[in-house]
Each structure stands twice: as C-alpha cells, then as structure tokens.
C-alpha cells in the first residue's frame, strides 16, 4: 500500500512524499514504515506506542479512529494511508 | 447555516451596486437576493497576512457589506512575498491601515472594522459576537484553538485554512452539525516539534490558493448555496498540484463541541499549547538546556574564549547571514555526531533559537554533557550586537 508522508515529516522519510509498504493491516503498515524510517517513530507515536493526538492517520479518505477495526483494519496494495499532522501557518510568521 | 439564510430584511442595492455586481446578479445561485445577502453579511477575518490578504480582497470585491479585520502587526519586507494586500510603500505601517486602504480603494462602499489587537481569551467573544462568520487566517496554534472554541461557543462557522511550505488545508468548522477543529485535532503538538513557516518556509502563492478557497466557502455559506467544506478536509499539494479530500466527523467526545463538553468557556490557550510565559522562562534553562544571551556570547568571544559554536540552519540561510558557527544543518546532525566534540561545551544557534533548542535537547539526549542554546539566534545577534548581520 502507499503511505503519503506530509511535508513536515518528509525529512524523516528520506525526503520522500510517499512510501510503498507490503502489509496486511494498518498497524503492520505503520510498523514497517517506522522500521524503515526510525526517525518517524517519535513523531507519530508516544512512548507507549499510541498514535499522537496531533497526528491523524487516514485509511483512504476515512479517519482510522472511526474504522470499526481501527488499526487492525485489513489493507490491500491499492489502499492508501495519509498521515495528516496539524499545521498552524498562515499569518505573519 | 439556518441563521444565515433565514428571512431577514435585506438591504436594497444601489444603482452603482447593480452595475458593479452584474456578473453576480445574472448567476442564478447569487441573483438579486444573494447579492443583498452578501451586502447584509458581517465577516470577521482573523489576520491580514498570507491567508487574510486574498481572503479580504475577494470578500471586498464580492460585495460583503461589513468586514472586520483583527491584526496588531506591522508590515515587514519579508511579508510581501505572499501578503498581497500590502505593498512596498507600506513597510513599517500597521497591517490594518494598509489593508483598509486597499480594501476601500477596491470597494468604497465596504464597511471595514479594524480590531487593532491580538485576539485573546479576554476579547475574543466580545469581538466575534457582531459577526456572522469567522475566517481563520492565523499562524499559530494558540490562536487557532482560541478561534475554534470561540466559534463553537457562539455558534458561528469557522472557515479554516492553514499552510506549510507547499501544502495547505482548508475546511469549515463549528457549524451546527459539523465537526470543529478540536474534533480533528484534540490537542496541539508540543512546541518545537512542528516547524513554523518562518523556519519551514512557505511558497508565496500557496496562501493565495488556500485563502481564495476560504473566501469561496465564506460566500457559499452566506448564499446558502452549493456543498460547503463541512465534514471535509481539503488538502492542497501545490508542488504536485494535487487536491485531495478526507472525511471529518464530529467527535461525540470532543471537549468543546461533543455531547459532554468540558470546555465551556475560553481557556488559557498559550498554556494549553505548552507555551511557557516569557517571565517564567527567563530562568536560564529551558527543558534542561542552559540558554546563553547573544550579549553573553559576544562577551565570551571578546574575552578571547574559543567558543565552540554550531550553526544548525540550512546552507541557504548561512549564505544570507552567519556569526561564525560551524554549519551542520539540523537534519544532518544525527548522522554527523562524530564531527561534534563531546568534550567541549557545545553552543548551538539557529535563526531564532527554536531549532537550535530542539537540536540542543537532541544532543543532550545523545549524551553530550554540556550543551547550550543561543537564545534569540541570528535575529537577536542582529538586533543587539551587529545590525550588519542580515535579518531574514
Ligand atoms: Zn469538536
């Protein structure tokens, strides 16, 4: 499946905007992603291994938190995961 | 959207307005009544920067009757790459005055209300109460959460836009049945983990794209036409020019718009976002990292000490200005640790002191016993030590 990496996290994924992984579930896909790119781990997960509150993960166009099976949801090669962190920019900065 | 489209006594259009808005009037979705609704509408634009510039200009052109602007900043040369409501002659001027001038030139009938202040928990409800819709063009997490909560508490739609580098987000929050910003992100990221536009950069055109999407949503909400971005997060990727859309749901456990809200009045948003007040921070360490002022750094240099200074900015920033540090860009630090001497006091600096603080913490975690951060970075150096060091 394809995992889309948002701009703020690309430096931790070798600059790539998308990463392909072979996985059968969402949690396996995220595990493989952070195995290949260990720097991503602390940005995505808390020390207890929970997804951080300011990072949302979407399975296709649906928030993983609202899927019946959540991160255990089965995935195919055609599915996508999108990591969407909060961004604040817009005004003066 | 019921309150906006309820029958209200609508203002008549003048002869001038009939000709000015003729291209709207012949659109069935706008027509005479829609244009009158726009004239009756009161929209608050929080921020007159990157997002606020196109937003305010298009709303003024479209015939919005009353436009409130909140800003306390002055125009800086580095704003002009994207904040198109301001011009070169406006550098140093209040953004509110500069924006008002352009908006009134475009549409003299527009009623501009200037709120020369920083939106805060103390004034937000008072400022918002006179408006129908709020457009959020802010640049920081505390104000985003403040705008969101104030909109939920007052039942006003929050037309949201946000940008970073080449990427943008837009949505409509806080409508009666739709989700709010906290349904999407219950908590802000800890300070320092997400870079700001000043550190990350932003394509100047991107706020134009996103701000115009916000303006479109404002107009649609007022007209009560089309499918608003409620319950949808629009993602704009300008680099690949790809637009995607994600589903947003109203979270029944949302602390502000959920079934049992715990946030029923405005809170301390700086504190909520983990931002420690300046006074408390003045103590010379931050997250265990000693902070050195530029004056103290200069004093030590002048005293002949060979300070071990590491510059963690990007090479292009180094080309603009530098103060003699060894350049190791922040993302290279983890794999270039061998180049950084563990036996010395490592003094880290960047542009503002934010990135270098993160790297200082990283070095400390990596076992460096003495790491110090230069508070204020290049900006402070330029202000307090040497103005010929170019600020950017
Ligand atoms: Zn909510």
């Amino acid at each position: 499946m394809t995992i889309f990496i948002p701009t703020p996290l690309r430096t931790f994924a070798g600059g790539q905007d998308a990463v392909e992984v072979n996985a059968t579930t969402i949690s396996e896909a995220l595990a493989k992603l952070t195995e290949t790119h260990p720097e991503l781990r602390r940005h995505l997960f808390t020390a207890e291994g929970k997804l951080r509150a300011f990072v949302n993960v979407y399975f296709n166009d649906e928030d993983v938190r609202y899927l019946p099976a959540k991160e255990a949801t089965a995935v195919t090669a055609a599915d996508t995961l999108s990591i969407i962190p909060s961004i604040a920019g817009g005004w003066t900065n | 959207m019921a309150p906006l489209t309820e029958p209200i006594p609508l203002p008549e259009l003048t002869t001038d307005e009939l000709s000015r808005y003729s291209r709207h009037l012949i659109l069935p979705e706008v027509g005479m009544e829609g244009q009158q609704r726009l004239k009756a509408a009161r929209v608050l634009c929080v921020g007159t920067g990157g997002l606020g510039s196109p937003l305010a200009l298009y709303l003024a052109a479209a015939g919005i009757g009353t436009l409130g602007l909140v800003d306390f900043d002055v125009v800086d040369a580095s704003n002009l790459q994207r904040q198109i409501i301001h011009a070169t002659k406006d550098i140093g001027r209040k953004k509110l005055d500069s924006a008002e001038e352009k908006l009134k030139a475009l549409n003299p009938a527009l009623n501009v209300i200037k709120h020369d202040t920083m939106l805060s928990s103390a004034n937000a409800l008072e400022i918002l109460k006179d408006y129908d819709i709020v457009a959020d063009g802010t640049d920081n997490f505390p104000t985003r959460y403040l705008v969101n909560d104030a909109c939920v508490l007052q039942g006003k739609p929050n037309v949201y836009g946000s940008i970073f580098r080449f990427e943008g987000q837009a949505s409509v929050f806080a409508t009666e049945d739709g989700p709010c910003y906290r349904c999407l992100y219950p908590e802000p990221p800890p300070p320092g983990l997400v870079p700001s536009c000043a550190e990350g950069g932003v394509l100047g055109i991107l706020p134009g794209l996103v701000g115009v999407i916000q303006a479109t949503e404002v107009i649609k909400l007022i007209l009560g036409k089309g499918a608003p971005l409620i319950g949808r997060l629009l993602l704009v990727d300008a680099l690949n020019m790809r637009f995607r859309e994600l589903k947003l749901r109203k979270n029944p456990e949302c602390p502000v718009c959920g079934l049992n809200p715990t946030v029923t009045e405005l809170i301390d948003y700086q504190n909520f976002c983990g931002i420690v007040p300046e006074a408390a921070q003045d103590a010379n360490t931050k997250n265990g990292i000693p902070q050195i002022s530029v004056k103290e750094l200069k004093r030590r240099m002048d005293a002949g000490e060979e300070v071990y200074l590491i510059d963690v900015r990007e090479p292009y920033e180094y080309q603009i200005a530098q103060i003699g540090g060894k350049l190791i860009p922040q993302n290279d630090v983890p794999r270039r640790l061998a180049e950084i001497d563990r036996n010395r006091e490592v003094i880290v600096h960047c542009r503002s002191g934010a990135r270098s603080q993160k790297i200082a913490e990283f070095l400390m975690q990596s076992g460096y016993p003495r790491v110090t951060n230069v508070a204020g970075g290049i900006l402070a150096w330029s202000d307090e030590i040497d103005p010929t060091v170019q600020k950017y």
Side-chain angles (χ1 to χ4, degrees):
Chain A
M1 76 183 316
T2 308
I3 305 180
F4 290 113
I5 311 294
T7 315
L9 297 182
R10 281 180 201 158
T11 49
F12 310 110
Q16 300 174 88
D17 58 6
V19 174
E20 288 290 331
V21 297
N22 274 318
T24 55
T25 63
I26 292 172
S27 51
E28 192 192 347
L30 290 173
K32 286 201 168 164
L33 174 71
T34 52
E35 249 165 59
T36 326
H37 303 286
E39 267 281 289
L40 274 177
R41 170 158 284 277
R42 93 187 158 92
H43 289 270
L44 299 181
F45 297 100
T46 62
E48 298 79 44
K50 273 190 64 182
L51 263 180
R52 288 181 178 274
F54 57 88
V55 176
N56 289 336
V57 177
Y58 284 81
F59 175 63
N60 300 321
D61 67 349
E62 186 67 78
D63 191 333
V64 170
R65 288 180 295 185
Y66 293 111
L67 295 173
K70 300 204 161 66
E71 281 150 62
T73 303
V75 302
T76 70
D79 290 320
T80 63
L81 276 188
S82 304
I83 299 167
I84 313 290
S86 43
I87 51 174
W91 188 356
T92 53
N93 249 326
Chain B
M1 289 313 75
L4 295 175
T5 45
E6 263 167 19
I8 44 165
L10 290 171
E12 293 297 318
L13 298 183
T14 63
T15 320
D16 283 352
E17 287 169 336
L18 291 175
S19 59
R20 174 180 282 257
Y21 302 119
S22 59
R23 301 299 188 278
H24 267 169
L25 297 173
I26 57 175
L27 279 177
E29 290 78 4
V30 184
M32 183 67 87
E33 195 195 318
Q35 195 63 50
Q36 288 174 288
R37 284 192 184 285
L38 295 176
K39 186 174 178 178
R42 303 173 63 90
V43 179
L44 181 68
C45 198
V46 185
T48 54
L51 294 168
S53 288
L55 189 49
L57 283 168
Y58 267 108
L59 292 179
I64 295 289
T66 301
L67 196 54
L69 307 173
V70 187
D71 214 316
F72 60 91
D73 209 0
V74 295
V75 180
D76 182 85
S78 69
N79 299 151
L80 302 177
Q81 160 255 24
R82 63 197 179 286
Q83 301 181 15
I84 57 167
I85 205 165
H86 310 299
T88 306
K89 70 170 174 59
D90 298 314
I91 292 171
R93 213 175 155 201
K94 276 188 177 296
K95 286 189 177 176
L96 280 184
D97 295 336
S98 159
E100 180 187 36
E101 182 186 293
K102 310 313 164 4
L103 295 171
K104 296 288 268 187
L106 172 59
N107 194 341
L110 174 71
N111 177 25
V112 177
I113 300 176
K114 296 187 284 183
H115 302 278
D116 185 3
T117 181
M118 183 175 180
L119 202 69
S120 72
S121 299
N123 63 23
L125 295 178
E126 184 59 29
I127 292 175
L128 261 66
K129 75 173 177 20
D130 293 327
Y131 295 93
D132 307 316
I133 299 183
V134 178
D136 179 4
T138 57
D139 68 341
N140 61 85
F141 288 111
T143 316
R144 289 224 178 267
Y145 281 93
L146 167 64
V147 169
N148 180 72
D149 292 1
C151 283
V152 172
L153 294 175
Q154 295 199 331
K156 297 188 196 291
N158 169 14
V159 179
Y160 161 86
S162 188
I163 50 170
F164 181 72
R165 291 195 172 171
F166 293 91
E167 215 163 304
Q169 301 180 345
S171 192
V172 173
F173 293 125
T175 59
E176 211 177 326
D177 302 310
C180 79
Y181 185 61
R182 285 204 199 222
C183 295
L184 175 61
Y185 296 113
E187 282 170 33
L193 204 57
V194 177
S196 69
C197 281
E199 289 181 343
V202 65
L203 177 71
I205 302 154
L206 180 65
L209 265 168
V210 175
V212 169
I213 290 169
Q214 288 177 279
T216 311
E217 291 306 302
V218 169
I219 300 289
K220 282 162 56 191
L221 289 172
I222 294 164
L223 297 174
K225 289 290 182 332
L229 266 179
I230 297 170
R232 298 185 286 150
L233 182 69
L234 184 69
L235 302 178
V236 179
D237 171 358
L239 205 50
N240 297 305
M241 204 45 91
R242 208 164 42 194
F243 289 68
R244 292 196 300 140
E245 193 183 305
L246 302 172
K247 284 190 195 129
L248 297 184
R249 290 173 194 274
K250 195 175 174 78
N251 181 0
E253 287 163 31
C254 175
V256 61
C257 82
L259 298 173
N260 300 299
T262 51
V263 177
T264 53
E265 55 184 31
L266 298 179
I267 59 169
D268 180 341
Y269 292 89
Q270 299 285 329
N271 190 8
F272 175 63
C273 293
I275 296 162
V276 183
E278 294 268 337
Q281 218 174 57
D282 242 345
N284 293 330
T285 62
K286 196 161 137 195
N287 290 344
I289 303 291
Q291 308 287 306
I292 184 171
S293 67
V294 288
K295 287 204 174 80
E296 174 63 10
L297 179 62
K298 178 73 166 42
R299 192 196 59 74
R300 284 172 56 177
M301 287 171 162
D302 289 347
E305 185 184 334
E306 231 182 85
V307 297
Y308 187 46
L309 191 62
I310 306 280
D311 179 349
V312 297
R313 297 172 304 148
E314 302 304 314
Y316 67 86
E317 299 180 82
Y318 188 84
Q319 279 178 6
I320 299 170
Q322 50 103 358
I323 55 173
K326 173 186 167 81
L327 181 68
I328 306 184
Q330 58 171 350
N331 295 318
D332 294 349
V333 170
R335 57 181 173 76
R336 290 177 61 183
L337 284 179
E339 295 174 44
I340 305 173
D341 189 347
R342 275 170 203 270
N343 300 315
R344 299 189 58 178
E345 181 199 7
V346 184
I347 303 180
V348 198
H349 91 82
C350 64
R351 174 176 166 275
S352 70
R355 271 174 289 176
S356 51
Q357 171 68 21
K358 265 194 313 186
I359 292 301
E361 290 173 25
F362 171 78
L363 289 173
M364 188 175 68
Q365 284 157 17
S366 307
Y368 282 75
R370 288 185 300 151
V371 190
T372 302
N373 182 41
V374 180
I378 290 274
L379 295 177
W381 189 275
S382 176
D383 283 339
E384 296 171 35
I385 307 294
D386 180 4
T388 67
V389 169
Q390 179 66 43
K391 280 208 272 188
Y392 58 95

PDB file of all heavy atoms in Angstrom, chain B residues 179-180 182-183 254 256-258, ligand 1:
ATOM      1  N   PRO B 179     -18.202  19.007  12.374  1.00  0.00           N
ATOM      2  CA  PRO B 179     -17.099  18.907  13.336  1.00  0.00           C
ATOM      3  C   PRO B 179     -16.420  20.250  13.567  1.00  0.00           C
ATOM      4  O   PRO B 179     -16.632  21.200  12.808  1.00  0.00           O
ATOM      5  CB  PRO B 179     -16.130  17.935  12.653  1.00  0.00           C
ATOM      6  CG  PRO B 179     -16.419  18.074  11.198  1.00  0.00           C
ATOM      7  CD  PRO B 179     -17.879  18.423  11.073  1.00  0.00           C
ATOM      8  N   CYS B 180     -15.603  20.315  14.599  1.00  0.00           N
ATOM      9  CA  CYS B 180     -14.801  21.507  14.841  1.00  0.00           C
ATOM     10  C   CYS B 180     -13.326  21.132  14.751  1.00  0.00           C
ATOM     11  O   CYS B 180     -12.986  19.965  14.557  1.00  0.00           O
ATOM     12  CB  CYS B 180     -15.150  22.148  16.187  1.00  0.00           C
ATOM     13  SG  CYS B 180     -14.422  21.364  17.629  1.00  0.00           S
ATOM     14  N   ARG B 182     -11.159  20.942  17.011  1.00  0.00           N
ATOM     15  CA  ARG B 182     -10.750  20.013  18.063  1.00  0.00           C
ATOM     16  C   ARG B 182     -11.235  18.594  17.806  1.00  0.00           C
ATOM     17  O   ARG B 182     -10.702  17.650  18.385  1.00  0.00           O
ATOM     18  CB  ARG B 182     -11.293  20.477  19.406  1.00  0.00           C
ATOM     19  CG  ARG B 182     -10.563  21.650  19.995  1.00  0.00           C
ATOM     20  CD  ARG B 182     -10.792  21.585  21.477  1.00  0.00           C
ATOM     21  NE  ARG B 182     -10.540  22.841  22.148  1.00  0.00           N
ATOM     22  CZ  ARG B 182      -9.888  22.894  23.316  1.00  0.00           C
ATOM     23  NH1 ARG B 182      -9.449  21.791  23.876  1.00  0.00           N
ATOM     24  NH2 ARG B 182      -9.715  24.046  23.905  1.00  0.00           N
ATOM     25  N   CYS B 183     -12.302  18.437  16.995  1.00  0.00           N
ATOM     26  CA  CYS B 183     -12.714  17.081  16.612  1.00  0.00           C
ATOM     27  C   CYS B 183     -11.596  16.466  15.768  1.00  0.00           C
ATOM     28  O   CYS B 183     -11.333  15.269  15.830  1.00  0.00           O
ATOM     29  CB  CYS B 183     -13.984  17.106  15.779  1.00  0.00           C
ATOM     30  SG  CYS B 183     -15.440  17.697  16.626  1.00  0.00           S
ATOM     31  N   CYS B 254     -15.647  15.170  21.707  1.00  0.00           N
ATOM     32  CA  CYS B 254     -14.909  16.429  21.551  1.00  0.00           C
ATOM     33  C   CYS B 254     -15.081  17.294  22.803  1.00  0.00           C
ATOM     34  O   CYS B 254     -16.200  17.484  23.275  1.00  0.00           O
ATOM     35  CB  CYS B 254     -15.416  17.183  20.322  1.00  0.00           C
ATOM     36  SG  CYS B 254     -14.667  18.811  20.147  1.00  0.00           S
ATOM     37  N   VAL B 256     -15.034  20.374  23.235  1.00  0.00           N
ATOM     38  CA  VAL B 256     -15.758  21.654  23.131  1.00  0.00           C
ATOM     39  C   VAL B 256     -17.104  21.519  22.418  1.00  0.00           C
ATOM     40  O   VAL B 256     -18.068  22.163  22.807  1.00  0.00           O
ATOM     41  CB  VAL B 256     -14.857  22.768  22.520  1.00  0.00           C
ATOM     42  CG1 VAL B 256     -14.395  22.434  21.139  1.00  0.00           C
ATOM     43  CG2 VAL B 256     -15.559  24.106  22.503  1.00  0.00           C
ATOM     44  N   CYS B 257     -17.197  20.630  21.388  1.00  0.00           N
ATOM     45  CA  CYS B 257     -18.482  20.533  20.677  1.00  0.00           C
ATOM     46  C   CYS B 257     -19.138  19.166  20.867  1.00  0.00           C
ATOM     47  O   CYS B 257     -20.162  18.881  20.248  1.00  0.00           O
ATOM     48  CB  CYS B 257     -18.330  20.877  19.195  1.00  0.00           C
ATOM     49  SG  CYS B 257     -17.724  19.538  18.163  1.00  0.00           S
ATOM     50  N   GLY B 258     -18.558  18.307  21.725  1.00  0.00           N
ATOM     51  CA  GLY B 258     -19.100  16.968  21.930  1.00  0.00           C
ATOM     52  C   GLY B 258     -20.347  16.957  22.812  1.00  0.00           C
ATOM     53  O   GLY B 258     -20.904  17.999  23.138  1.00  0.00           O
TER      54      GLY B 258
HETATM   55 ZN1  LIG C   1     -15.465  19.386  18.118  1.00  0.00          ZN
END
